[in-house]
Amino acid sequence: MKKILIVNASYYKDITDELVKSSSIILKKNKYKISILTVPGVFEIPVAIKKNIKKFDAFIALGCVIKGNTPHFDLICKSIFNSISLLSITYNKPIGNGIITANNIKQAKERCGMIKSGKPNKGAEAANAVLSILNNGPKKI
């Protein structure tokens, strides 16, 4: 049975709890073994994945970054997204990116399902992305 680690940045706990719930439902439904590791913020996600890279078949990064009035948002988002991509490519392990990047709290709540909006849940999107990589291989034609 394949093992997936969900790394959850709990800075916006009410939002990320919804992301964890939605991704866990999809993974359990598809019979994957799930572990959850909570870190304080999104900046800690890449190092948490790196420390556990040999123990799991795939990872899901969950968190939320809300834009403020300083360049911090842009710097953090770029750094985290680049780090996650580099880890995935370097170690040949799928990492689903379920980190919400929002201009305000309302947008974040829409992307985690707390507010009905028709927007997809980022946790579910990340879980489905990982499953598509784990379950799809080249097809002979």
Side-chain angles (χ1 to χ4, degrees):
M1 178 182 283
K2 297 217 185 243
K3 300 184 302 181
I4 298 176
L5 178 63
I6 296 172
V7 181
N8 178 38
S10 63
Y11 190 82
Y12 292 99
K13 186 177 178 348
D14 57 335
I15 290 168
T16 60
D17 283 351
E18 293 298 318
L19 299 175
V20 170
K21 183 169 70 174
S22 64
S23 60
S24 296
I25 288 169
I26 289 169
L27 298 173
K28 287 177 184 175
K29 181 179 163 188
N30 285 277
K31 299 182 176 25
Y32 284 87
K33 185 175 179 188
I34 307 165
S35 296
I36 299 173
L37 176 62
T38 301
V39 296
V42 296
F43 199 71
E44 291 76 33
I45 290 173
V47 73
I49 291 172
K50 175 80 165 48
K51 284 179 72 172
N52 290 283
I53 202 80
K54 293 182 180 176
K55 299 175 191 168
F56 293 90
D57 300 295
F59 300 85
I60 296 178
L62 301 177
C64 180
V65 185
I66 298 176
K67 190 169 181 113
N69 295 322
T70 68
H72 185 256
F73 173 88
D74 298 316
L75 298 170
I76 289 291
C77 292
K78 183 174 182 170
S79 173
I80 299 314
F81 287 29
N82 287 343
S83 296
I84 288 171
S85 179
L86 183 61
L87 284 167
S88 182
I89 292 166
T90 300
Y91 293 95
N92 198 29
K93 301 260 180 141
I95 303 173
N97 184 349
I99 298 171
I100 294 172
T101 55
N103 288 318
N104 54 56
I105 195 77
K106 181 178 182 269
Q107 284 181 343
K109 288 181 176 181
E110 289 174 346
R111 293 309 305 270
C112 76
M114 292 176 74
I115 296 175
K116 299 287 185 217
S117 68
K119 305 266 186 209
N121 180 296
K122 288 293 286 182
E125 280 185 337
N128 284 322
V130 164
L131 292 179
S132 74
I133 299 298
L134 290 175
N135 296 329
N136 284 331
K139 294 179 179 40
K140 293 182 180 179
I141 52 172

